[in-house]
Amino acid sequence: MSDHLPYNSPPVEPSIGIGVLHLFGKLGPTADPQAIAAAANEAEAEGVQVVAVAVLGHKADLAFMVLHADLWRLRDFQTAVRRGGLDIVDSYVSLTEMSEYAAGLPEETKQARLYPQLPPEGKPAWCFYPMSKRRNPEQNWYELSFERRRELMYEHGASGRKFAGRVVQLITGSTGIDDYEWGVTLFCEHPDDLKEVVYTMRYDEASARYAEFGPFYVGMVAPVERVANRLMGQ
């Protein structure tokens, strides 16, 4: 990217955490898998984390999850893969964050949420979905007291901890940035782990009563060259 996209703009960075861009694209007959792979490799050489995913289903062929503190780097990556022929059909923008209910977590856990290192080893099954909390008259999350919200989120977190070691979850914040309030990305060893963790946690009151979910994307994480070439039948 650096040969064509000089970084002559001041960085645009969050005061804490890093930017996260999910791109979902389709590969047409003129797509160049080598150019797309080169864009990903060059971005990684410049410090951008790039996760490539072969997407199942009609919504997309290829997904990228890219992370960097400077949002310009994410924008440049988007430009580079489009130049390689990736037709972007959906996207999601968010920032890593610490939940307001997580003040007592160990510092190591906080750093892992704010500055994750992805993808995790040995977990090729992947899922992404956005979500928000309801604001209905009888189901308004934001009318609950902080203490009640914290109690419900602790219950929700306890359900998630049952999957420790099986599921790596990254929740990123998107209030005021994209259409939903959070983006949820899951990495698992087996695809049925994805199904089980989402099913289990939907029974918690924080989810069953107050959560709204957006579209789900599911696929397999692999090196970008392998993903691009396989999708192009090469």
Side-chain angles (χ1 to χ4, degrees):
M1 287 189 295
S2 58
D3 291 340
H4 308 289
L5 299 166
Y7 298 117
N8 53 9
S9 299
V12 178
E13 302 178 349
S15 57
I16 185 171
I18 56 178
V20 183
L21 174 64
H22 289 76
L23 294 176
F24 303 93
K26 292 193 174 182
L27 296 169
T30 62
D32 183 348
Q34 284 74 34
I36 293 171
N41 291 332
E42 189 169 350
E44 288 183 324
E46 294 171 347
V48 180
Q49 293 188 61
V50 179
V51 179
V53 182
V55 178
L56 291 164
H58 75 285
K59 298 172 190 171
D61 298 320
L62 174 62
F64 284 109
M65 179 182 184
V66 288
L67 305 90
H68 196 273
D70 185 2
L71 301 190
W72 276 114
R73 296 296 183 105
L74 305 184
R75 174 63 249 195
D76 290 337
F77 175 82
Q78 180 176 332
T79 299
V81 294
R82 289 193 67 180
R83 284 179 172 172
L86 183 66
D87 180 17
I88 296 172
V89 296
D90 200 0
S91 64
Y92 204 80
V93 180
S94 58
L95 304 173
T96 61
E97 67 172 16
M98 278 302 304
S99 168
E100 60 185 322
Y101 315 109
L105 288 177
E107 188 62 28
E108 181 180 356
T109 303
K110 293 180 181 179
Q111 291 299 306
R113 293 186 181 184
L114 289 171
Y115 306 100
Q117 297 297 311
L118 300 175
E121 185 177 356
K123 291 182 168 51
W126 181 92
C127 174
F128 170 79
Y129 60 92
M131 64 166 294
S132 292
K133 293 298 189 185
R134 288 178 180 148
R135 298 171 182 264
N136 300 335
E138 301 301 323
Q139 297 170 296
N140 191 331
W141 176 258
Y142 296 98
E143 288 185 342
L144 300 177
S145 68
F146 174 79
E147 289 73 20
R148 179 56 177 156
R149 286 185 279 121
R150 180 172 59 186
E151 178 184 344
L152 292 175
M153 291 307 297
Y154 280 1
E155 175 194 41
H156 198 50
S159 294
R161 285 191 290 275
K162 296 175 184 177
F163 295 87
R166 293 173 58 190
V167 179
V168 172
Q169 173 184 265
L170 179 65
I171 299 176
T172 51
S174 50
T175 301
I177 298 174
D178 216 317
D179 294 340
Y180 290 79
E181 295 175 312
W182 294 276
V184 181
T185 307
L186 304 174
F187 297 85
C188 302
E189 182 179 359
H190 305 291
D192 48 323
D193 291 333
L194 299 170
K195 182 169 65 73
E196 185 176 350
V197 67
V198 173
Y199 179 81
T200 298
M201 296 184 74
R202 282 193 174 188
Y203 281 93
D204 298 331
E205 186 175 351
S207 180
R209 182 170 175 80
Y210 294 105
E212 296 282 359
F213 297 89
F216 279 66
Y217 288 90
V218 175
M220 295 77 69
V221 175
V224 62
E225 291 89 353
R226 186 185 308 167
V227 172
N229 286 328
R230 186 154 185 175
L231 293 178
M232 294 296 290
Q234 298 178 4

